[in-house]
Amino acid sequence: MMVSNQFKTTLLIGLTMPMSLFILGVYNGVMQTLYRSGVLHQHATAGINYYQGLTMHGVINAIVLTTFFAVVFGHYTITNYLKKEPSKWSYMLSMILMVIGSAIDLVVMVLGKASALYTFYAPLQASALFYIGTAMLIIGSWIAFAGWVKIWFEWKKENPSLHMPIAILGTFVNFTMWFMASIPVIYELLVLLTPWALGLTNQVNVPMTRTLFWMFGHPLVYFWILPAYVGYYTMLPKIAGGKLYSGNAARLALLLFLILSTPVGVHHQFSEGGIAPSIKLWVSILTFGVSIPSFMTAFTVGASLEYAGRKRGAKGLFQWMSRLPWLRADNYLFGYFICGLILFIFGGLSGIVNGSYTLNQLVHNTGWVPGHFHMTVAGPSILFILGLTLFMYQHLSGKPMTSKFTVTIIPYLWTVGVSLLSHGLMAGGLMGEPRRTNMGLTYTNPESPLYNSHWVPSSTVTMVGGLIMGTAALLYFISFFKMLCNKAVELPTISMPESEELHNEREIPLLLNMKPWIILAVILIGSTYIPSFKNVFKYGKPVESKYHMDNPSNLIDNEK
Amino acid sequence: MVDKYELRAIISSGVLLSLFFFAVLYNSYSRKIDMPTCVPFEKTFEKSAVKKIDDGLYEIYLVAHMWTFDPEEIEIPAGSTVDFYLTSKDIVHGFHINEEGVNMMAVPGTINKITTKFEEEGTYRFVCNEFCGTGHQNMMGKIIVK
Ligand SMILES: [Cu+2]
């Protein structure tokens, strides 16, 4: 459908702003692999030190890019399916807040005033501006959601007999979960950390801020992935030339994410004191539960792909795989989808290890963890973002995409890179390689007394993977920004591939109503977090300190 | 209803997950590989100490701060069982002995406890695996088991 000029401009800003920042995010990612493998033995390169670069890499890629994308993809999907534009106030205000918030974050990170990593754990202190900027970005995304809810109720009034399309259910599940999960982090950012960073308060209960952070930090992972899930259910079957195997299974999987995503955040705190083992066991069970919707997705999407292959005449058990539209320039999106799915198989399996009660001890905070989440985030999430930003930009701007061959091979090249990078990190992690460490200065530096030769081969594989990913990203940036420079030849529109369902399934009322699921989600969050907070106050004491990343002495003591 | 193949897929996923989960539980209860324990915060643990309780049993109070462990080098006889009590004086740190599967976080204002047994002689290095500022990559210590 056609779109208004303002809406189009807002969405194009929402695509170009994070993509420009992503250049910096990718650069710092590649640099980290060079430091860790021991190619570089220094604190900083080009004025950006290792931990500052790590902060930029995490904040830009994992918070800024993914939030912008979820909002723009949500606008695009909702408008496509409801044939209505959200209200102007909602998309404008949301985009203004998000752009200003991430610009503030960028400036303080570049100035080195916020090198607290993307987890910004207290009492390691960042500038108050960083906390405010991040809060603006998150609140901006809420406002976009409010606009969608409004037009949804209008649409429902006009079409009382129609059900919520799966794509919209997916977006609503994602943002409902996101809203519930980001209230605690907004509280942490604005009520606890900002006044503390400004010097208005002295005390901070560290385990409590950590628990508040992970209430948001883990659901954030699902917030990255759910847009890709929406794509797997509602676009991929169509692109592959088939139909969605089961619509009810798709709805059930999405709704399971709604109830299980938020309460599992405590599994990031398995190896800290302050939370009793009984709570950790309960969270471990819930974390296993959340892999059920992932398994369901694998089977439903797998069945849809098999159907597509058989429709093209495939015989036997496995021939359908070769009949899928691999490497076709006229259907480049398929590569981004399928590569993401393949990586996600390994991402999901390694995630089960992290969530497994005591097994977590073996890998906690080692290279295994980034090895795992690069297969999920840099797998389905980023590949989906890369493919869809090209696709949406092309349609919204009416500009032709000229680098057809390049954009077709990018996902395959990227996947080779991620596989090596993640393999290196996971193997290193099993040998004790710590994450978030400038190993080039010490552990992989033969001149250092801390040198550890075991960690050199694994971090070298990581580096090779990082360089390949960097090359794929470079090709992507060239293609994307080349398209930006083209002249518009078509009218701007919003349109996307829409999959049909294979079977005519019986309606299940429970799968058509979000309310009971939201209530269940709140109950599960309470069942995990009420005892967790009780524990945090029972076993933890607030500390009267604030520290800066390169100052080992207490800042308050210095002032006295 | 959900398609019958879907249903089978859901059930087999559930069975597989339960199997994984019981394998983990079996190991943690029968072989005593467990999570760190919660100990209410007390100032005494903020002083580092290596205490010999009796033959073969040690208590070690480890204090992490920017950017060293205190004590940094510990000597114990082979076959000793060690209770580690860990806390931090300033910001969040990590403590990881890879060979022993000991992996804890030092969170200021809390005490973390874990027990492990050093059967074999040798040098066990422990590293800080939680970012704690610009000197983080230097933060390491060792346990010499004789
Ligand atoms: Cu450290």
Side-chain angles (χ1 to χ4, degrees):
Chain A
M1 69 168 264
M2 305 287 289
V3 281
S4 72
N5 244 330
Q6 275 137 340
F7 191 46
K8 182 191 95 175
T9 314
T10 308
L11 294 191
L12 292 182
I13 291 171
L15 289 171
T16 27
M17 158 104 187
M19 267 312 150
S20 315
L21 290 179
F22 190 41
I23 298 177
L24 206 54
V26 168
Y27 164 78
N28 283 305
V30 174
M31 289 308 286
Q32 276 172 69
T33 66
L34 294 175
Y35 282 108
R36 285 181 66 92
S37 59
V39 170
L40 300 176
H41 306 301
Q42 59 211 46
H43 280 283
T45 307
I48 300 177
N49 89 45
Y50 178 88
Y51 300 106
Q52 188 185 2
L54 179 55
T55 307
M56 285 189 208
H57 177 72
V59 172
I60 291 175
N61 294 12
I63 303 183
V64 177
L65 173 67
T66 50
T67 307
F68 266 93
F69 178 78
V71 167
V72 172
F73 182 67
H75 278 313
Y76 197 91
T77 313
I78 302 268
T79 313
N80 180 65
Y81 277 89
L82 299 187
K83 306 284 174 247
K84 267 177 191 294
E85 276 181 27
S87 313
K88 198 171 145 193
W89 61 266
S90 75
Y91 64 76
M92 296 274 272
L93 182 60
S94 132
M95 192 54 69
I96 290 170
L97 277 174
M98 289 170 65
V99 168
I100 297 177
S102 32
I104 293 175
D105 278 3
L106 178 70
V107 172
V108 280
M109 286 189 296
V110 169
L111 293 176
K113 301 281 183 206
S115 302
L117 309 195
Y118 106 102
T119 44
F120 50 83
Y121 292 146
L124 191 68
Q125 201 174 53
S127 156
L129 282 173
F130 175 79
Y131 301 133
I132 294 170
T134 309
M136 284 172 77
L137 174 71
I138 296 170
I139 292 171
S141 68
W142 292 357
I143 293 172
F145 180 36
W148 305 336
V149 174
K150 186 171 168 279
I151 60 165
W152 159 253
F153 281 113
E154 289 169 12
W155 184 87
K156 190 69 192 163
K157 241 183 217 153
E158 292 156 21
N159 306 282
S161 60
L162 295 180
H163 296 314
M164 191 184 260
I166 293 173
I168 295 192
L169 177 73
T171 305
F172 277 16
V173 159
N174 197 18
F175 275 78
T176 308
M177 180 264 293
W178 172 243
F179 178 67
M180 291 190 296
S182 45
I183 294 169
V185 85
I186 291 294
Y187 175 80
E188 184 196 3
L189 285 166
L190 296 183
V191 181
L192 300 179
L193 298 183
T194 304
W196 168 71
L198 290 172
L200 302 174
T201 52
N202 284 334
Q203 280 203 339
V204 59
N205 185 325
V206 182
M208 176 163 114
T209 59
R210 290 172 57 80
T211 308
L212 285 169
F213 178 84
W214 283 118
M215 269 179 99
F216 149 86
H218 195 77
L220 172 64
V221 175
Y222 299 114
F223 180 68
W224 302 333
I225 291 183
L226 277 167
Y229 272 65
V230 171
Y232 289 148
Y233 285 123
T234 65
M235 301 167 77
L236 177 60
K238 174 85 182 173
I239 291 168
K243 288 178 177 178
L244 176 62
Y245 191 74
S246 162
N248 279 342
R251 287 173 193 273
L252 178 61
L254 290 169
L255 290 163
L256 284 175
F257 274 113
L258 177 61
I259 58 169
L260 291 168
S261 299
T262 315
V264 300
V266 177
H267 78 228
H268 288 255
Q269 298 176 281
F270 274 178
S271 55
E272 68 184 74
I275 292 177
S278 54
I279 296 170
K280 294 172 182 170
L281 187 63
W282 163 240
V283 170
S284 192
I285 295 169
L286 288 179
T287 309
F288 269 58
V290 87
S291 42
I292 300 250
S294 290
F295 270 123
M296 286 176 63
T297 305
F299 291 128
T300 313
V301 176
S304 309
L305 290 174
E306 182 177 345
Y307 173 77
R310 295 206 185 280
K311 242 179 101 183
R312 290 204 172 85
K315 302 236 157 37
L317 258 186
F318 295 110
Q319 205 191 24
W320 59 270
M321 291 186 191
S322 61
R323 295 287 168 96
L324 295 173
W326 308 88
L327 281 169
R328 303 241 182 98
D330 57 345
N331 194 0
Y332 67 88
L333 272 184
F334 183 79
Y336 292 86
F337 280 98
I338 195 78
C339 290
L341 270 174
I342 293 170
L343 286 170
F344 195 50
I345 295 173
F346 302 98
L349 290 177
S350 52
I352 292 177
V353 173
N354 302 349
S356 294
Y357 194 58
T358 52
L359 213 51
N360 177 282
Q361 294 282 102
L362 206 65
V363 296
H364 179 80
N365 267 352
T366 67
W368 172 280
V369 176
H372 149 71
F373 71 65
H374 275 84
M375 284 191 295
T376 63
V377 177
S381 298
I382 296 289
L383 277 169
F384 188 71
I385 291 175
L386 295 183
L388 261 288
T389 43
L390 289 170
F391 181 86
M392 292 194 291
Y393 198 95
Q394 192 185 347
H395 286 269
L396 277 168
S397 67
K399 294 176 182 174
M401 199 183 48
T402 33
S403 338
K404 284 238 162 79
F405 175 73
T406 317
V407 302
T408 314
I409 56 161
I410 287 168
Y412 299 96
L413 189 61
W414 177 267
T415 302
V416 172
V418 180
S419 308
L420 288 171
L421 174 108
S422 288
H423 177 80
L425 281 167
M426 287 167 67
L430 292 177
M431 295 185 287
E433 225 182 75
R435 72 190 285 200
R436 300 169 158 175
T437 302
N438 184 349
M439 301 204 307
L441 277 174
T442 49
Y443 305 131
T444 52
N445 181 359
E447 267 122 67
S448 161
L450 304 181
Y451 179 65
N452 185 333
S453 62
H454 299 298
W455 297 346
V456 175
S458 54
S459 53
T460 307
V461 174
T462 306
M463 179 194 69
V464 174
L467 291 173
I468 296 175
M469 287 170 79
T471 312
L474 186 66
L475 291 175
Y476 172 85
F477 293 130
I478 294 171
S479 320
F480 183 81
F481 289 101
K482 217 171 105 194
M483 174 164 61
L484 255 70
C485 301
N486 287 341
K487 272 217 161 66
V489 289
E490 280 170 52
L491 286 172
T493 53
I494 280 188
S495 76
M496 59 206 295
E498 295 176 26
S499 309
E500 290 165 62
E501 290 175 29
L502 179 59
H503 305 287
N504 206 350
E505 290 171 311
R506 197 151 59 92
E507 282 174 16
I508 301 176
L510 191 61
L511 297 182
L512 297 170
N513 184 359
M514 275 176 72
K515 264 181 228 142
W517 299 87
I518 294 176
I519 294 169
L520 194 56
V522 173
I523 293 173
L524 280 177
I525 292 172
S527 76
T528 310
Y529 279 102
I530 293 170
S532 297
F533 281 114
K534 274 190 179 162
N535 261 250
V536 158
F537 290 114
K538 181 176 165 197
Y539 294 112
K541 282 270 168 307
V543 287
E544 295 194 0
S545 331
K546 46 176 101 182
Y547 295 90
H548 192 259
M549 71 165 291
D550 38 41
N551 186 354
S553 60
N554 188 327
L555 296 179
I556 296 176
D557 285 352
N558 286 351
E559 281 161 19
K560 274 177 192 165
Chain B
M1 248 336 268
V2 176
D3 181 88
K4 71 176 174 191
Y5 293 105
E6 284 286 342
L7 202 63
R8 280 180 211 167
I10 296 172
I11 292 171
S12 41
S13 311
V15 170
L16 188 66
L17 285 171
S18 326
L19 213 69
F20 285 169
F21 196 69
F22 283 105
V24 171
L25 286 188
Y26 173 76
N27 269 290
S28 65
Y29 290 107
S30 76
R31 299 175 62 195
K32 302 268 172 274
I33 307 167
D34 209 358
M35 293 267 182
T37 320
C38 271
V39 181
F41 182 75
E42 223 188 282
K43 278 261 176 220
T44 45
F45 294 105
E46 283 193 337
K47 251 204 191 126
S48 74
V50 179
K51 293 184 186 167
K52 187 174 176 182
I53 305 298
D54 59 45
D55 275 343
L57 182 62
Y58 284 80
E59 268 183 9
I60 296 177
Y61 293 9
L62 261 162
V63 182
H65 47 81
M66 289 158 112
W67 293 293
T68 43
F69 289 104
D70 185 13
E72 222 175 0
E73 211 177 298
I74 301 160
E75 250 192 63
I76 47 164
S80 306
T81 302
V82 179
D83 290 335
F84 286 106
Y85 293 89
L86 177 70
T87 192
S88 160
K89 274 252 165 154
D90 39 47
I91 63 175
V92 181
H93 299 273
F95 172 75
H96 185 198
I97 313 172
N98 193 44
E99 296 86 343
E100 290 290 306
V102 168
N103 201 335
M104 291 194 283
M105 294 186 83
V107 178
T110 68
I111 311 297
N112 220 348
K113 183 202 170 189
I114 206 161
T115 304
T116 189
K117 193 172 181 185
F118 291 89
E119 306 270 13
E120 275 167 50
E121 289 180 15
T123 303
Y124 296 77
R125 305 216 278 185
F126 50 88
V127 291
C128 171
N129 61 12
E130 177 61 61
F131 172 61
C132 56
T134 41
H136 165 54
Q137 67 280 338
N138 297 313
M139 196 164 161
M140 202 194 87
K142 42 179 122 145
I143 297 167
I144 300 157
V145 180
K146 283 188 174 165

